[in-house]
Amino acid sequence: MYVGTLSFDLLLGDVRSLKEKRSVVRPIVAELHRKFAVSVAEVGDQDLYRRARIGLAVVSGDAGHLTDVMDRCERLVAARPEVELLSVHRQLHGDDDWPE
């Protein structure tokens, strides 16, 4: 079993309130969940209206498939014109990472 996580640090474009922020972040979260069947949520910077941190997790029996899904998720977020992707933090855990 392999578990992968991604954390996106985003700078939002022309956003002037937390309500406008939600109108940008929610569709991104929904699209990631719908297209890639990943667990995803806004996980940080909730009180800042021009910044967002989105985290997602993927579980797979195949490391190659896991990496492919994570790559596609990253490309989707990077391609969104309303946000600037400041950084991505990626972690991959396999069976060898946990004691039996």
Side-chain angles (χ1 to χ4, degrees):
M1 175 177 71
Y2 298 93
V3 178
T5 60
L6 285 173
S7 176
F8 301 106
D9 185 12
L10 304 174
L11 178 64
L12 307 182
D14 189 25
V15 172
R16 293 185 178 86
S17 70
L18 292 176
K19 185 176 180 179
E20 287 181 13
K21 175 185 179 176
R22 283 193 305 273
S23 72
V24 172
V25 173
R26 279 187 178 163
I28 295 171
V29 168
E31 186 174 8
L32 286 166
H33 178 71
R34 186 183 74 250
K35 280 190 169 184
F36 303 112
V38 297
S39 295
V40 58
E42 183 180 1
V43 296
D45 297 330
Q46 282 96 344
D47 57 339
L48 302 175
Y49 65 87
R50 292 218 48 228
R51 295 290 293 270
R53 184 169 295 278
I54 296 175
L56 68 81
V58 186
V59 177
S60 178
D62 177 46
H65 176 259
L66 185 83
T67 301
D68 181 54
V69 170
M70 291 170 58
D71 288 345
R72 289 187 285 151
C73 289
E74 186 174 340
R75 284 193 299 271
L76 184 143
V77 173
R80 298 294 293 236
E82 67 274 22
V83 300
E84 180 181 342
L85 183 56
L86 298 176
S87 68
V88 179
H89 181 73
R90 179 184 292 230
Q91 289 187 315
L92 180 64
H93 303 280
D95 285 333
D96 297 335
D97 295 337
W98 294 290
E100 291 190 31

